Structure formats: structure tokens, C-alpha cells
Amino acid sequence: MSDNDHSHDHDHDHTEPPGELELKVKALESLLVEKGLVDPAALDVLIETYEHKVGPRNGAQVVARAWAQPEFKEWLLRDGAAAIASLGFTGRQGEHLRVVENTTTVHNLVVCTLCSCYPWPVLGLPPVWYKSAPYRSRAVSDPRGVLAEFGTTLDHDTEIRVWDSTSEMRYLVLPQRPQGTQDWTQAQLATLVSRNAMIGVEKAQQPDDGMTA
Amino acid sequence: MSGGHDLGGLSGLGPIAPEPESSEPVFHAEWEKRVFALTMASGSLRRWNLDESRHARERQHPADYLRNSYYENWLAGLETLLVEKELLSVKELATGASQGEVSDSGAVPLQAKDVPQILSRGGPVDMVIEDAPCFTPGDRVRVCSQDPRAHTRAPVYVRGRIGFIKEHHGAHVFADKHARGQREGRHLYSVAFSSSELWTSSENGSAEFKVMVDLWEPYLERA
């Protein structure tokens, strides 16, 4: 492999794996099925669950409710796991959920520098960039630079708090509610809550960002 | 252990280049879906736990860990565990041909009908232990500087650094021992570090910020 090929490896977006890998995984699956260790139907259900059922729309519902109901917000910040479980979002990688609130003076950002810990029941599986070496390395050393790469700028005196998910605690950011949404329903509010806002790399969308309420 | 996975504070790893949220698929190839599901289904055989799984990925050569895509690292970890836990032989893995039943397996494969319940139940790691916590919020602590040369969740960038206990999470299963198959509870804290304690000013360049890291009591000493 030439040096050029090598450096290319670090930049590619992993969308075109070699056929060799495809074959290797198929062979492993066949072997595990043949040995009675894995049932292919269960694999399909696992994939279907995280591809189509569990995802950031769950988290957006949590945030919208917290924006709309002060008592729910208070519960959410005090006991995130219980408040979120009350909406039916429980389970794997969400056993110990902690919600951190963005305010006019504090901005929170979540990372896992050691692997890819992420609150699955409310956000689904993490995006490629969250699991990538550039994000994991710099979120804790240059958060303002990281935010800038997402087009997010903060006031100079905003306190940034970075949460490194090194245990089984999982962190969800409660973004600030946008101005001009006083009369919005929870369903409308949820449309303003992106996945990236709940990781903390962006703010919630503004009502005039071209979203339809 | 330090290694290719312990990335906090490294430089030179390039831009983040996120895909737009609205168009990013959950998986980027069919094989990624299968590796994800094979890992989850094999994990449900309960021959290893999550920390053993993490450790299996981390034990790769750092150059391999960094060069691999995310699910390639999952695949490497899964293959390591399947062989180490004697569910597959090296020969079977190399040839793809089964050499027969797993001896003394007692392994019950995950069934499709059980998936929703198993996922929603999760695997809580909080424990009740007899020992009282050594620290309370506000205490000044230093993170042990030694590298344990085995699985640990104290990242290199906080080792030897001073922070303040922000919160006590109660006792959780201690990752370092869990990676060796032992389920023991230790008090877990959120520890707050100032950026000036972690990085020289030329590294962060601008305003101060805080980094909160979850650390178990054995990693910490009073400072």
C-alpha cells in the first residue's frame, strides 16, 4: 500500500467497504447460524429496531415535553431515567440517563473519548462523526473549534461543559427553547429538536429556519 | 490501558466532516447491519460482558484501531471474543467451515420474539455496596497517573490531573474488574476539570471550559 493510499484510508467516509469485508461477514454469520449460536430472524429484528424504531424522534419528544411542562422538566433534570421511562423510552444503553440543560449562560456538549457511548433509547445509534477519531479527540480539548465545524457559535462568556461518557451514565442535552414558540404544541416543538442539538453540537432550530410547524 | 481507542486531546486526526443529519443513514452498508446485529446477538449468549467487549476492540494494534472503520473494529472484537470464549476455533474462523457443535455450550441463541423485551430491559449496572463513599461534592481529587495496562475507563488525558467532585452517582459495576469477568461495585463520581488544568493555553487557545468525566473511586485520591 502506498503512502497515498494509506492517508486516504483515514479520510474516506466508509461508504464503500471492500467486497472482501462483505463476504467475510456473511461467512461469519453462516458459521454462527450453523453452530446454533445465532438465529438470523433475531438479527433482522435487531436491525429493524435500530434502523426504523428507536431514534432521535424519541429524544425530541422528551425535549418538547420539558419545554412545554415545567414540572416534567424539573423531574427530567432531577431523575432523567425515570422521567424518560415515563414516556416509554427505556432499555439498552439508557439504563442510567442524565439530562443536562443549556441556558443563556451554559452550553453542554456530549462525547465518548474512549469508545462510542450514547443514549440509544432516546437518540438511536450514534452517527459516524460522533464515533470518529476527530470528534472524540477534540471535543474535550477544543470544544469551541468543534462547535464551529457544526456552524455553532456561542457568546464568548458562555460556559461550555463537556461531558465525557466514560461510565455507563448516558448524557442527553436539553437545548434552549427557541424564542417565538409560546403558542406551539408539543408536536410542533418536537420538529425544532435535532439529534445534533441533543448531543450539544448545535442549538435547537429557530421557528424561522424554514421549518414548517 | 492506553491505546488507539483513548483519543481525548490527540491532535492531527483531521476535520470532523459530519454528514448532514437529515440525510445520514443509520447504517452505511449491509455488512455493517449484520456486524451490529451479530455482536448484539452473540453478546446475549452471556459469555462476555460489555467491558470485555470494549476491551477486545481496544486490544487491537493502535494503527489497526485507527485505520478501521467503526464496525470493522466491532467485527475484530467479536472475532477475538468468539475464539477466546471457545465458541469458534481459529480454524473455523479462517475457513468459515464448522468443525461441529460447540462442546458444552448450553448456548441458547437469541430468538426474534425475545428481542424487544431484552432490549427494553437493558442491563443496569448500579449496585448497593457496604462501603461509604470516600468523597463528597466539592472535594478536590487527583486522578491516579499509572496506566493499569488492562481495560480501564480513566482516560489518559485526565491522569495525574486535579479536579473537583461534582456529583456522586452511587455505586456502579467497576469497569476495570468487569473486563476480567468480575462484577464488583465501586462508587462512581462525575469529576469536573477546568480546561487550564488539562491543556496548556496554546492547545485550547481561547476561553476556559469545563470537562466532566465519570470516574470510579479507585482511580481517585484526595488532593
Side-chain angles (χ1 to χ4, degrees):
Chain A
M1 180 181 276
S2 74
D3 285 343
N4 280 343
D5 288 340
H6 181 81
S7 76
H8 175 76
D9 271 351
H10 293 270
D11 297 334
H12 75 84
D13 61 6
H14 308 306
T15 53
E16 292 178 30
E20 194 183 325
L21 196 46
E22 199 87 44
L23 294 173
K24 187 178 175 184
V25 174
K26 274 193 178 141
L28 179 62
E29 179 175 337
S30 304
L31 189 55
L32 292 173
V33 170
E34 190 178 345
K35 292 186 78 87
L37 297 170
V38 155
D39 172 7
L43 303 183
D44 293 338
V45 177
L46 284 162
I47 294 164
E48 166 72 13
T49 302
Y50 288 101
E51 207 170 23
H52 298 297
K53 292 181 181 162
V54 179
R57 292 303 91 208
N58 292 358
Q61 283 183 53
V62 173
V63 169
R65 177 167 297 219
W67 284 348
Q69 299 179 356
E71 66 281 7
F72 181 79
K73 176 174 150 181
E74 188 274 326
W75 185 21
L76 185 67
L77 294 175
R78 181 167 41 83
D79 188 352
I84 289 170
S86 77
L87 300 182
F89 309 134
T90 61
R92 189 70 65 96
Q93 289 299 307
E95 295 90 346
H96 307 286
L97 277 165
R98 174 93 162 71
V99 179
V100 290
E101 182 187 17
N102 287 351
T103 66
T104 50
T105 56
V106 173
H107 184 90
N108 295 281
L109 178 68
V110 180
V111 65
C112 173
T113 62
L114 296 174
C115 51
S116 55
C117 297
Y118 193 73
W120 291 9
V122 277
L123 296 185
L125 299 181
V128 168
W129 62 259
Y130 182 87
K131 306 176 288 192
S132 73
Y135 182 73
R136 286 163 54 188
S137 59
R138 279 193 286 121
V140 292
S141 61
D142 181 21
R144 281 179 192 271
V146 165
L147 291 171
E149 283 187 52
F150 287 86
T152 304
T153 50
L154 303 174
D155 291 342
H156 188 73
D157 54 0
T158 300
E159 180 188 326
I160 297 181
R161 295 178 188 168
V162 183
W163 299 82
D164 190 355
S165 314
T166 49
S167 74
E168 302 303 339
M169 296 299 300
R170 295 288 171 269
Y171 294 90
L172 181 77
V173 175
L174 174 60
Q176 274 188 280
R177 180 174 178 163
Q179 302 287 322
T181 56
Q182 293 82 352
D183 303 327
W184 288 38
T185 65
Q186 282 186 43
Q188 290 172 320
L189 288 169
T191 64
L192 299 176
V193 186
S194 67
R195 173 198 69 201
N196 287 1
M198 293 181 280
I199 302 172
V201 291
E202 291 172 7
K203 297 178 183 178
Q205 281 159 310
Q206 297 300 314
D208 54 9
D209 274 355
M211 305 282 298
T212 49
Chain B
M1 59 179 281
S2 55
H5 66 287
D6 191 349
L7 295 173
L10 287 193
S11 52
L13 293 169
I16 297 165
E19 283 176 79
E21 178 173 338
S22 57
S23 58
E24 179 171 0
V26 175
F27 299 102
H28 291 72
E30 187 61 27
W31 69 270
E32 290 189 350
K33 301 181 191 182
R34 305 315 282 184
V35 168
F36 168 76
L38 285 169
T39 300
M40 298 280 285
S42 302
S44 78
L45 298 168
R46 306 188 74 82
R47 291 301 180 92
W48 56 80
N49 62 51
L50 183 53
D51 285 298
E52 289 175 279
S53 202
R54 289 189 182 115
H55 189 40
R57 292 167 204 150
E58 294 164 0
R59 279 184 281 152
Q60 294 179 88
H61 192 288
D64 292 331
Y65 183 95
L66 287 167
R67 189 181 296 117
N68 283 345
S69 70
Y70 182 72
Y71 285 112
E72 284 177 292
N73 280 329
W74 274 43
L75 177 60
L78 177 59
E79 290 178 338
T80 296
L81 288 168
L82 287 167
V83 170
E84 285 182 357
K85 302 293 181 177
E86 300 181 338
L87 293 174
L88 291 183
S89 68
V90 173
K91 189 176 176 188
E92 286 176 318
L93 200 54
T95 61
S98 170
Q99 306 290 302
E101 292 289 303
V102 179
S103 63
D104 182 34
S105 96
V108 181
L110 177 65
Q111 301 296 306
K113 66 176 171 52
D114 298 329
V115 170
Q117 192 204 349
I118 282 182
L119 292 179
S120 77
R121 195 170 60 211
V125 293
D126 51 325
M127 294 180 79
V128 175
I129 63 172
E130 285 184 11
D131 299 343
C134 286
F135 305 113
T136 53
D139 285 355
R140 192 168 181 265
V141 291
R142 184 194 308 274
V143 183
C144 295
S145 54
Q146 279 186 329
D147 182 47
R149 305 205 171 201
H151 179 71
T152 187
R153 298 293 286 182
V156 167
Y157 75 91
V158 298
R159 290 196 202 147
R161 306 293 175 165
I162 290 174
F164 292 86
I165 301 286
K166 187 175 174 66
E167 211 170 303
H168 173 222
H169 294 306
H172 280 207
V173 173
F174 182 35
D176 299 41
K177 294 219 167 186
H178 203 215
R180 299 195 290 262
Q182 298 159 270
R183 193 175 171 88
E184 293 181 19
R186 294 286 185 279
H187 290 289
L188 176 70
Y189 306 90
S190 176
V191 182
F193 299 88
S194 68
S195 52
S196 57
E197 170 69 10
L198 298 177
W199 319 109
T200 62
S201 57
S202 63
E203 282 168 315
N204 72 58
S206 57
E208 279 272 305
F209 55 92
K210 287 199 174 72
V211 181
M212 263 62 71
V213 184
D214 288 330
L215 298 167
W216 278 269
E217 203 163 87
Y219 302 153
L220 303 172
E221 60 186 19
R222 201 168 289 278

